[in-house]
Amino acid sequence: MIRGLRVNRRIFIAAMGVTVLSACADKVTAEPSMQKNRPLFGKVERLDPGLDEVIDSSLQLEQLADGFSWSEGPAWDSKRDRLYFSDVPQNTAFIWSEALGLEVFRKPSGLAEGDGTNGLLMARDGRLLTANHGKRAITAFNIESGEDVILADRFDGKKFNSPNDLVEAEDGTIYFTDPPYGLQDGDESPLKEQPVNGVYRRGPDGKLTLIDGSLTRPNGIALSPDERTLYVAQSDPEKQLLKSYAIGSDGLLSDSGLFFDAQPLVAADAPGLPDGMCVAQTGHIFATGPGGVLILSPTGKLLGRILAEKATANCAFGDDGSMLYLTSSDRLARIPLKVKGLSFG
């Protein structure tokens, strides 16, 4: 999530070229599931011939729903053929499916008041993992029973800032980021207990480890197909980048340094910051950033961009794995790919 501090949020987003809507969740609109010819927008920018293996550059984005305050954290549920995503300021989680269109999933999605969930992820055990701003925790939500279990809410006895995004490894290890976006006044908030804005590892045994406390605004997070590399996006307007970390056979991580510098892409007609990301089976990385979604090769070469016209918070693979869903400012959209996401057969 790249919203600014709560007091200055609208000023910050306006500066990035984003229009924040005041519509409540019950004013959100979606095209009927049976209607053909949904609105199309944006375009694909081809910067390298390698893009042709990933996406058809003649395509546009298909708008599925709009009217959100700030849409975030999409996660595909293959068992139920539907997408979950968050509207963080409205404290609401939604479902979108081809069969039923848009539905409210959880309201509130966080605590009774304040922000709700941000990043979402279908866990290997079938629960919906959430980076929960309101609860300042990583939680596991049982979709059938409604039970919401806190997996981590403190490190060294201090409450997290506002967990933002997360990814799960095959062995159940969870990596997540903890910037201060969910705290009023951010780093200056009297509620901030952690001395850093950290990147963390929660092992299968529940043990928490701080991977990196040097980033100013750690945000999106993802794993390479072989799970030997962890990627982390930083949404600092003054230092927009993706970092990578090597994961050893013993589970220990080492900083591999800069993976991609997004700062040169900053422009008035390219709203957005590095935020969420997802990785294809081929190792290609789809990372939100200036302009929309950056498409990177496994070595960090920029192949092209999906230009979404507004700041784009996050993305996830869905359907059979070859559809990319985007939460872009006030909209939910999708675009087909030639590659498939991880966890899809």
Side-chain angles (χ1 to χ4, degrees):
M1 174 177 144
I2 56 174
R3 294 184 302 120
L5 310 182
R6 194 184 307 265
V7 172
N8 298 317
R9 180 169 61 205
R10 288 177 174 81
I11 297 173
F12 175 82
I13 296 181
M16 296 306 298
V18 185
T19 301
V20 177
L21 305 183
S22 59
C24 298
D26 59 0
K27 296 181 181 179
V28 170
T29 60
E31 294 296 320
S33 59
M34 301 305 291
Q35 180 177 333
K36 304 297 182 181
N37 302 318
R38 294 191 181 102
L40 300 177
F41 68 95
K43 64 180 181 179
V44 177
E45 179 184 44
R46 182 178 182 270
L47 301 174
D48 185 275
L51 185 71
D52 299 338
E53 300 175 5
V54 180
I55 190 172
D56 182 342
S57 58
S58 68
L59 296 175
Q60 288 185 284
L61 286 155
E62 177 188 14
Q63 180 176 299
L64 304 176
D66 68 353
F68 308 103
S69 292
W70 182 249
S71 58
E72 253 285 9
W76 183 259
D77 184 342
S78 296
K79 178 180 178 181
R80 301 170 182 85
D81 290 325
R82 63 191 192 184
L83 184 83
Y84 306 101
F85 65 100
S86 305
D87 186 333
V88 185
Q90 296 298 337
N91 200 354
T92 304
F94 289 94
I95 295 171
W96 185 90
S97 67
E98 191 68 56
L100 299 175
L102 190 72
E103 304 172 88
V104 172
F105 177 51
R106 298 178 67 194
K107 183 176 177 61
S109 61
L111 296 178
E113 297 182 359
D115 287 341
T117 54
N118 193 320
L120 306 175
L121 181 72
M122 287 301 302
R124 297 178 186 276
D125 66 5
R127 293 184 295 178
L128 183 66
L129 301 180
T130 81
N132 200 304
H133 270 10
K135 295 182 179 180
R136 298 172 68 176
I138 298 296
T139 73
F141 181 74
N142 187 308
I143 296 170
E144 300 298 334
S145 69
E147 180 185 28
D148 201 14
V149 177
I150 291 179
L151 301 182
D153 63 352
R154 296 173 185 271
F155 179 72
D156 280 351
K158 300 180 177 66
K159 294 182 71 172
F160 288 123
N161 304 319
S162 51
N164 190 284
D165 206 355
L166 69 170
V167 66
E168 184 188 29
E170 187 173 356
D171 66 356
T173 295
I174 298 172
Y175 300 93
F176 64 97
T177 57
D178 186 42
Y181 285 128
L183 298 177
Q184 184 172 345
D185 300 326
D187 286 328
E188 306 306 317
S189 172
L191 300 178
K192 190 176 192 292
E193 298 181 19
Q194 290 296 334
V196 300
N197 299 316
V199 181
Y200 295 91
R201 177 187 186 273
R202 182 188 184 274
D205 58 358
K207 181 181 178 181
L208 289 168
T209 306
L210 175 64
I211 295 172
D212 193 343
S214 69
L215 298 176
T216 54
R217 292 293 183 270
N219 203 311
I221 191 165
L223 284 165
S224 62
D226 62 4
E227 298 192 349
R228 299 299 298 273
T229 304
L230 179 72
Y231 305 104
V232 176
Q234 174 165 270
S235 54
D236 186 333
E238 303 303 319
K239 199 171 184 180
Q240 305 186 35
L241 54 84
L242 274 68
K243 287 193 67 174
S244 64
Y245 304 80
I247 304 175
S249 57
D250 55 3
L252 298 178
L253 283 82
S254 57
D255 191 338
S256 299
L258 180 68
F259 181 75
F260 181 78
D261 185 4
Q263 203 67 36
L265 300 176
V266 175
D269 61 349
L273 296 165
D275 198 327
M277 67 180 95
C278 56
V279 180
Q281 296 174 10
T282 55
H284 290 92
I285 300 164
F286 295 78
T288 61
V293 178
L294 317 180
I295 301 175
L296 306 173
S297 74
T299 59
K301 183 179 183 180
L302 181 62
L303 305 179
R305 293 188 292 182
I306 301 172
L307 300 175
E309 300 175 350
K310 299 181 181 182
T312 300
N314 215 328
C315 55
F317 299 97
D319 297 358
D320 67 349
S322 62
M323 186 70 75
L324 187 71
Y325 286 84
L326 283 69
T327 47
S328 182
S329 186
D330 60 325
R331 295 184 285 198
L332 173 68
R334 67 182 180 181
I335 192 168
L337 304 172
K338 297 179 180 180
V339 296
K340 289 189 176 185
L342 296 177
S343 80
F344 290 87

